[in-house]
């Protein structure tokens, strides 16, 4: 068996050793409950939580008190969508989102429709971009929220949030974004982008799993969806996962320091991968490189069964799409929204590089992919 090569960094990332080192004392020496305000163990835990909140707010350009901790991005999305829609229901019941959103958003919107809300799902072009004028035309007097992800998790397409926010602000409509795939990978600033609400997760940026964050701009109302305590200013009850939160904060601090250099390095490696693969007949890229996350690519190969290709390349960790739906054999809803046939969508793979990816690994991966494609094409003859 050849050395395993991990190229699925959009699914999850390994926890950085510097993050683990920062977390360790909070399992043993500083194990207190951050809500225990009467003794030093609680104070130490609270200090760790608040330092993490400060580090995270600095990375995304938020105020310290605008960051709320959750168990992950999915909980943050649910809290934001349900909480905002219920808080502003007297104003209206219409939401605008996009066909290529993550399932955390789409499934929550489906549930909101069952509760009487109306949802418009904007189409995308063949690179995954929306027509901002389409979005503007979809606004009605009942629209209370536009929810559009910053960068797509399967193809990397980046939506122009600043341009979109100029429209929503004029209409007095809230703008929410799922920034899970972009935070820590490319610059994302809640003020510059004009968003009112944002969600993201620790394990996508070299922090631990099981912790995420919700940004809510000061003055925005969000009704709680969980009950049972006053933690996180009564928005999200429950004992805080202090070690994970501390690690999340450290991971954000590292990303803040290293993100731009790392994006340039990974962008060059992705360019190498695409140049090599595009020489193969029937290979195409599923998004415009100019408006895409730099560390990833989504590739379709005509006439190839994507699942078989992944099994042939046993040493490579590559996915066909989102990890949340990787246990199904259905074609990706994102690739279908681009206009792909079922066959082409199933003949696709997502390659996502990360901090631990080396150039030698990329070269070896290219060779494995080429061999795998050649093997399947030969066996089909």
């Amino acid at each position: 068996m050849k050395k395993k090569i991990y190229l699925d960094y959009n699914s999850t990332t390994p926890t950085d050793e510097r993050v683990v080192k920062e977390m360790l004392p909070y399992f043993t020496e500083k194990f207190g409950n951050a809500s225990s305000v009467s003794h030093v163990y609680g104070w130490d835990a609270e200090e760790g939580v608040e330092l993490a909140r400060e580090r995270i707010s600095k990375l995304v350009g938020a105020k310290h008190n605008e960051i709320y901790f959750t168990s992950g991005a999915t909980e943050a999305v649910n809290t934001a969508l349900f909480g905002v829609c219920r808080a502003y229901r007297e104003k209206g019941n219409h939401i605008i989102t996009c066909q290529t959103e993550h399932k955390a958003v789409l499934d929550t919107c489906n549930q909101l429709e069952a509760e009487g809300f109306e949802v418009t799902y904007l189409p995308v072009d063949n690179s995954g971009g929306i027509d901002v004028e389409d979005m503007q035309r979809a606004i009605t007097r009942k629209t209370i929220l536009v929810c559009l992800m910053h960068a797509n998790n399967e193809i990397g397409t980046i939506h122009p949030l600043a341009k979109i926010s100029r429209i929503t602000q004029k209409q007095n409509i809230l703008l929410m974004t799922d920034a899970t795939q972009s935070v820590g990978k490319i610059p994302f600033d809640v003020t510059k982008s004009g968003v009112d609400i944002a969600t993201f997760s620790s394990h996508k940026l070299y922090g631990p799993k099981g912790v995420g964050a919700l940004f809510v701009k000061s003055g925005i109302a969000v009704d709680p969806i969980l009950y049972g305590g006053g933690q996180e200013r009564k928005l999200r009850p429950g004992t805080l996962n202090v070690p994970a939160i501390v690690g999340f904060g450290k991971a954000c601090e590292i990303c803040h320091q290293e993100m731009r250099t790392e994006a340039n390095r990974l962008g060059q490696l992705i360019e190498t991968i695409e140049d090599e693969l595009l020489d193969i007949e029937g290979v195409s890229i599923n998004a415009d490189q100019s408006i895409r996350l730099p560390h990833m690519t989504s590739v379709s190969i005509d006439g190839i069964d994507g699942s078989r290709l992944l099994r042939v390349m046993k040493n490579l960790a590559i996915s066909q799409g989102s990890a949340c739906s990787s246990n199904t054999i259905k074609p990706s809803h994102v690739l279908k929204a681009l206009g792909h046939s079922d066959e082409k969508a199933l003949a696709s793979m997502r390659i996502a590089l990360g901090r631990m990816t080396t150039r030698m690994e990329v070269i070896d991966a290219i060779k494995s992919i080429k061999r795998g494609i050649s093997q399947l094409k030969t066996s089909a003859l």
Side-chain angles (χ1 to χ4, degrees):
M1 183 91 177
K2 295 182 179 180
K3 176 189 173 185
K4 294 185 292 184
I5 300 175
Y6 188 73
L7 302 177
D8 197 19
Y9 280 82
N10 276 20
S11 171
T12 194
T13 61
T15 305
D16 192 293
E17 290 182 1
R18 293 167 288 182
V19 171
V20 174
K21 183 178 179 181
E22 188 102 352
M23 293 171 63
L24 287 177
Y26 292 88
F27 288 107
T28 54
E29 305 160 30
K30 302 179 179 181
F31 60 85
N33 188 325
S35 297
S36 297
V37 298
S38 60
H39 53 71
V40 68
Y41 290 92
W43 302 336
D44 284 346
E46 182 186 25
E47 183 179 357
V49 167
E50 294 312 312
L51 175 59
R53 205 185 307 272
E54 189 65 40
R55 286 169 164 172
I56 294 165
S57 63
K58 185 176 181 180
L59 177 63
V60 300
K63 297 176 184 176
H64 176 271
N65 63 355
E66 294 175 326
I67 299 295
Y68 299 83
F69 290 113
T70 67
S71 65
T74 296
E75 184 193 321
V77 165
N78 275 260
T79 301
L81 281 173
F82 283 121
V84 166
C85 288
R86 291 169 182 172
Y88 290 88
R89 189 159 196 167
E90 289 187 4
K91 180 183 175 184
N93 69 337
H94 180 230
I95 309 158
I96 298 172
T97 187
C98 179
Q99 293 176 357
T100 54
E101 291 291 310
H102 191 277
K103 285 294 186 180
V105 168
L106 295 177
D107 288 353
T108 306
C109 284
N110 288 340
Q111 181 58 37
L112 285 166
E113 286 183 287
E115 295 183 11
F117 288 88
E118 297 177 5
V119 183
T120 297
Y121 298 91
L122 297 173
V124 295
D125 61 25
N126 58 13
S127 285
I130 65 161
D131 185 329
V132 177
E133 292 183 0
D134 278 353
M135 185 215 75
Q136 189 167 10
R137 284 190 291 267
I139 294 173
T140 74
R141 60 183 180 83
K142 294 182 178 181
T143 306
I144 55 175
L145 177 70
V146 172
C147 178
L148 295 169
M149 67 198 326
H150 187 206
N152 188 271
N153 55 305
E154 292 193 33
I155 59 175
T157 301
I158 299 169
H159 287 321
L161 293 180
K163 184 177 181 180
I164 293 165
S165 70
R166 287 193 287 271
I167 297 170
T168 56
Q169 287 170 2
K170 285 181 181 179
Q171 300 276 3
N172 196 28
I173 296 167
L174 298 180
L175 175 60
M176 171 182 165
T177 190
D178 170 10
T180 305
Q181 288 295 346
S182 59
V183 169
K185 313 285 180 60
I186 60 174
F188 171 73
D189 186 290
V190 294
T191 302
K192 292 178 181 177
S193 64
V195 299
D196 301 292
I197 300 158
T199 60
F200 47 102
S201 184
S202 165
H203 78 103
K204 303 291 189 182
L205 45 79
Y206 310 97
K209 297 174 180 65
V211 61
L214 170 62
F215 157 77
V216 180
K217 186 177 179 180
S218 297
I220 303 300
V222 180
D223 286 353
I225 64 170
L226 298 174
Y227 299 89
Q231 296 92 340
E232 291 304 275
R233 284 151 284 155
K234 299 183 179 180
L235 180 59
R236 198 273 184 177
T239 302
L240 292 176
N241 185 351
V242 177
I245 289 170
V246 168
F248 190 7
K250 182 62 176 178
C252 285
E253 181 185 59
I254 294 169
C255 285
H256 192 260
Q257 296 166 349
E258 302 178 359
M259 176 174 56
R260 293 180 186 275
T261 300
E262 186 67 2
N264 289 335
R265 182 182 78 89
L266 297 180
Q268 292 173 10
L269 293 178
I270 284 293
E271 187 174 343
T272 298
I273 291 172
E274 291 184 341
D275 287 346
E276 290 286 339
L277 295 186
L278 285 171
D279 282 341
I280 302 171
E281 184 179 357
V283 169
S284 58
I285 307 300
N286 290 320
D288 187 336
Q289 291 98 319
S290 66
I291 51 169
R292 197 185 66 199
L293 290 170
H295 70 282
M296 66 162 294
T297 186
S298 174
V299 178
S300 291
I301 310 122
D302 290 345
I304 293 292
D305 183 321
S307 296
R308 288 188 63 197
L309 178 60
L310 297 186
R311 289 195 295 272
V312 167
M313 303 181 301
K314 296 178 181 179
N315 65 314
L316 300 187
I318 294 175
S319 72
Q320 283 186 280
S322 171
C324 298
S325 56
S326 60
N327 62 340
T328 70
I329 58 172
K330 294 180 181 179
S332 158
H333 73 282
V334 173
L335 298 181
K336 289 284 288 179
L338 303 189
H340 287 9
S341 64
D342 287 2
E343 182 182 23
K344 184 172 182 178
L346 290 169
S348 301
M349 61 181 177
R350 179 183 70 180
I351 301 171
L353 313 184
R355 188 175 291 164
M356 289 72 179
T357 307
T358 67
R359 175 165 285 277
M360 185 56 66
E361 285 180 326
V362 166
I363 292 170
D364 288 344
I366 292 169
K367 292 177 181 177
S368 291
I369 294 168
K370 285 184 172 181
R371 276 197 303 268
I373 294 172
S374 178
Q375 182 178 334
L376 291 185
K377 286 187 173 182
T378 301
S379 65
L381 296 176

